[in-house]
Amino acid sequence: MTYSDKLISYYKIIANDCVLGVSLDCVIFGFHDTRLKVFLLRWKETDEWCLPGGFIYKTESVDDAASRVLYERTGLNQLFLQQFHLFGDANRYDRDDTWQRQKMPMPFSGAWPDRTISMGYYALVDYTKVTPTADFLSDACDWFDVGELPSLLYDHCRIINVALQTLRLQLNWQPIGLNLMPEKFTIPELQRLYEAVLGRPLDSRNFHKKITGLSILTRLDERRTGKAHKSPYLYQFDQLNYQKALINGNLIFV
Amino acid sequence: MTYSDKLISYYKIIANDCVLGVSLDCVIFGFHDTRLKVFLLRWKETDEWCLPGGFIYKTESVDDAASRVLYERTGLNQLFLQQFHLFGDANRYDRDDTWQRQKMPMPFSGAWPDRTISMGYYALVDYTKVTPTADFLSDACDWFDVGELPSLLYDHCRIINVALQTLRLQLNWQPIGLNLMPEKFTIPELQRLYEAVLGRPLDSRNFHKKITGLSILTRLDERRTGKAHKSPYLYQFDQLNYQKALINGNLIFV
DNA sequence: TTTTCATTGTGTACGATTAACATAAAGAAA
DNA sequence: TTTCTTTATGTTAATCGTACACAATGAAAA
């Protein structure tokens, strides 16, 4: 059975078991080495990349389908995962061009409707805890700097941009630190995250004042050592106060 | 041809021409007499109400479908209309109970998939400019106070609540006045709108200061007369400055 | 061993914004 | 003419955001 045959039978199964004409795409954000990263898959036998995505089983809720996709690609569960936009244009992307770049076998058409609507989700994950796993359609996966994306299939470039815009807006009253940072971190490291998302530098003195003022952090007795210069304290999020602040909408941050 | 037959043939046409298993629902907000209102339709031959909604033609973008539904129900075009949530639970509502309340003819099943995903849109409209128009499935339509909703079909009660939550959040950096108010209005009237959306009273002195400070209003030489007490000035939105403020994100308002 | 130097942690001062509060003017009704 | 409710506007104190300075740290360089 050739790859082409496998692909066709795969899509036939999907068409049978899943909601027809609807897909979902996950923009998985991570943070590493002062950069905001996005998780991508490389389409098999090509140099084209795309977002992890999937289809919705007929008896599955859409949010559950998104969780499932995320789990399968990262090994992580119970993540920060949010709908952010439905991509529903009748001509979201140039289908012929895309199929050609995907090296899609041509008997493929007919097994799937002409147009697909895609629900966009974005996830915030702890980069250090992810076990990157490629899917059936891809032979590699990797993190990319949001500022340096490779050649992307479909309208996935636009989807990532809309996700990023949404993330920047949500930063104002949503907790992004808890989801994107490892368990222990320093305040300067957290500041790098905010700077990476906002795309501009922040004043370290004001950042420190603001973030500690929210009383969502607990300072540990440990310090991050090994580097030149003064060793910074390690912090943890105070889960309880974090949730309280969330509910009260006190996490406003610009 | 009975109503029941018409209904069945209507759904057959929809199933043929539209994206299968996906619908959209519009929460149309208006403002009248100090109250925030929602536009609802009464399901034919019942006392049950529901949101205006519809399906997406196979070659139509989802946003266009929402505009179309909105135009057909209100006669208004080019409105403030936004996606706010995809309602994608596998069991969004009790289907048997709903069909019974709708007095749905039972041969109906089979013409449509078991579960429907619905994209929620919300619209902000000028109550005075709306021409309420019922659709094929309804024999009446009316505005309801968001606090006093009638018996609603499907999960439309939840959809309205999620829309309202979203509206309250968006109030912070989105312009709601321009879309919900008539062309000319007084500042106290605008304040009633903000109070209706937020669900709490605002200080009139601070409100006046804040709203005029945004320089998005133009004071006219007219006053609203006829009532006892001091007659208030009429204002208009300054479209140009309004757009500028929007782009700069200066419409923060709590 | 001493010096260097980027980085961390903390504090202060000023201006802008918000929130709380009072009073005079308008205008129809009594 | 008086009454009474609503509108318009001003003041003050508290809070928050922004700009800015300096001492402490600790490995690396000299």
Side-chain angles (χ1 to χ4, degrees):
Chain A
M1 205 176 186
T2 65
Y3 167 62
S4 171
D5 291 336
K6 278 190 207 160
L7 200 61
I8 290 169
S9 79
Y10 168 78
Y11 270 100
K12 273 191 187 144
I13 292 171
I14 294 289
N16 194 57
D17 296 347
C18 291
V19 176
L20 215 66
V22 182
S23 68
L24 61 87
D25 288 299
C26 291
V27 182
I28 305 176
F29 288 112
F31 178 65
H32 181 66
D33 195 24
T34 78
R35 299 300 181 90
L36 189 66
K37 304 277 187 180
V38 106
F39 183 82
L40 297 175
L41 301 166
R42 191 176 63 206
W43 195 271
K44 256 181 193 163
E45 305 184 4
T46 73
D47 286 323
E48 303 288 336
W49 295 77
C50 63
L51 289 168
F55 300 97
I56 302 124
Y57 288 113
K58 284 179 179 169
T59 58
E60 181 185 39
S61 85
V62 183
D63 287 351
D64 286 350
S67 298
R68 176 172 51 77
V69 166
L70 204 50
Y71 174 73
E72 289 170 359
R73 300 284 75 72
T74 64
L76 296 179
N77 249 323
Q78 297 180 311
L79 295 161
F80 179 100
L81 179 62
Q82 279 204 346
Q83 298 180 2
F84 70 93
H85 191 77
L86 179 72
F87 296 88
D89 278 6
N91 300 296
R92 279 170 52 207
Y93 51 86
D94 183 325
R95 207 181 46 174
D96 290 341
D97 173 64
T98 299
W99 281 5
Q100 206 175 332
R101 285 161 64 201
Q102 289 178 302
K103 297 181 182 161
M104 210 62 147
M106 274 314 133
F108 169 70
S109 55
W112 196 255
D114 284 349
R115 65 89 72 93
T116 306
I117 288 166
S118 188
M119 188 66 215
Y121 283 81
Y122 79 98
L124 306 178
V125 306
D126 177 350
Y127 180 95
T128 63
K129 290 216 179 119
V130 170
T131 311
T133 310
D135 68 7
F136 173 79
L137 302 163
S138 51
D139 56 8
C141 55
D142 205 356
W143 291 98
F144 285 83
D145 196 302
V146 288
E148 294 166 18
L149 298 172
S151 174
L152 287 160
L153 291 167
Y154 310 105
D155 55 349
H156 287 187
C157 188
R158 170 165 144 73
I159 293 182
I160 293 171
N161 285 328
V162 176
L164 192 55
Q165 274 178 28
T166 309
L167 177 59
R168 285 193 177 133
L169 264 179
Q170 302 248 333
L171 193 57
N172 294 313
W173 63 92
Q174 283 279 359
I176 66 157
L178 180 60
N179 307 285
L180 283 163
M181 298 301 284
E183 223 172 289
K184 297 175 181 181
F185 53 88
T186 69
I187 290 190
E189 282 162 8
L190 186 59
Q191 185 181 335
R192 303 289 164 268
L193 167 63
Y194 276 84
E195 290 174 334
V197 173
L198 291 171
R200 63 183 167 87
L202 298 172
D203 183 284
S204 64
R205 296 159 287 193
N206 293 334
F207 183 84
H208 192 287
K209 210 186 314 170
K210 179 122 194 179
I211 208 79
T212 53
L214 294 173
S215 32
I216 52 170
L217 295 183
T218 310
R219 189 164 90 172
L220 305 176
D221 284 332
E222 296 172 76
R223 287 154 174 268
R224 168 98 61 218
T225 55
K227 281 184 182 165
H229 325 308
K230 184 169 177 176
S231 12
Y233 284 100
L234 284 170
Y235 286 79
Q236 265 184 336
F237 280 104
D238 179 331
Q239 300 276 349
L240 200 68
N241 279 336
Y242 204 100
Q243 295 307 323
K244 272 193 210 163
L246 238 186
I247 291 163
N248 299 329
N250 284 343
L251 287 183
I252 307 293
F253 205 100
V254 186
Chain B
M1 203 176 188
T2 65
Y3 166 62
S4 172
D5 291 336
K6 277 191 208 162
L7 201 61
I8 290 169
S9 80
Y10 168 78
Y11 271 100
K12 275 192 187 144
I13 293 171
I14 293 290
N16 194 56
D17 296 347
C18 292
V19 177
L20 215 65
V22 182
S23 67
L24 61 87
D25 288 298
C26 291
V27 182
I28 305 176
F29 288 111
F31 178 66
H32 181 66
D33 196 22
T34 78
R35 300 300 181 91
L36 189 66
K37 304 277 188 180
V38 169
F39 183 82
L40 297 175
L41 301 166
R42 191 175 64 207
W43 195 270
K44 256 180 193 165
E45 307 185 3
T46 74
D47 285 324
E48 304 288 337
W49 295 77
C50 63
L51 290 168
F55 300 99
I56 301 122
Y57 288 113
K58 284 180 178 167
T59 58
E60 181 185 41
S61 84
V62 183
D63 288 352
D64 286 349
S67 298
R68 176 172 52 76
V69 166
L70 203 51
Y71 174 73
E72 287 170 0
R73 300 283 76 73
T74 64
L76 296 179
N77 249 323
Q78 299 181 311
L79 294 164
F80 179 99
L81 179 63
Q82 279 203 347
Q83 297 180 3
F84 69 94
H85 191 76
L86 179 72
F87 296 87
D89 279 6
N91 300 297
R92 280 170 50 208
Y93 50 87
D94 184 325
R95 208 181 45 174
D96 290 341
D97 173 64
T98 298
W99 280 4
Q100 207 174 329
R101 285 161 63 201
Q102 287 177 303
K103 297 180 182 164
M104 210 63 148
M106 274 313 135
F108 169 70
S109 56
W112 195 255
D114 284 348
R115 65 89 74 91
T116 306
I117 289 165
S118 187
M119 188 67 214
Y121 282 79
Y122 80 98
L124 305 178
V125 307
D126 177 349
Y127 179 95
T128 63
K129 290 214 179 123
V130 170
T131 311
T133 310
D135 67 8
F136 172 79
L137 302 164
S138 52
D139 56 9
C141 55
D142 205 357
W143 291 98
F144 286 84
D145 195 303
V146 288
E148 294 166 17
L149 298 172
S151 174
L152 287 161
L153 291 168
Y154 310 105
D155 55 348
H156 288 187
C157 189
R158 169 164 145 73
I159 293 182
I160 292 171
N161 284 329
V162 176
L164 192 55
Q165 274 178 28
T166 309
L167 176 58
R168 284 193 177 133
L169 264 179
Q170 302 247 332
L171 191 59
N172 293 312
W173 62 90
Q174 283 278 359
I176 66 157
L178 180 59
N179 307 284
L180 284 163
M181 297 301 284
E183 224 173 289
K184 297 175 181 181
F185 54 88
T186 69
I187 289 190
E189 282 162 9
L190 186 59
Q191 185 181 335
R192 303 289 166 267
L193 167 63
Y194 276 85
E195 290 175 334
V197 173
L198 291 171
R200 62 183 168 88
L202 298 172
D203 183 285
S204 64
R205 296 158 287 192
N206 293 335
F207 183 84
H208 192 286
K209 214 184 310 170
K210 179 123 193 181
I211 208 80
T212 52
L214 295 172
S215 32
I216 53 169
L217 296 182
T218 310
R219 189 164 91 172
L220 305 176
D221 285 331
E222 294 173 78
R223 287 154 172 266
R224 168 97 62 215
T225 56
K227 282 185 182 167
H229 324 308
K230 183 167 177 177
S231 9
Y233 283 99
L234 284 169
Y235 286 78
Q236 266 184 334
F237 281 104
D238 178 332
Q239 302 275 349
L240 201 67
N241 279 337
Y242 203 99
Q243 295 307 323
K244 273 192 210 164
L246 238 186
I247 291 163
N248 297 330
N250 284 343
L251 287 182
I252 307 293
F253 204 98
V254 186

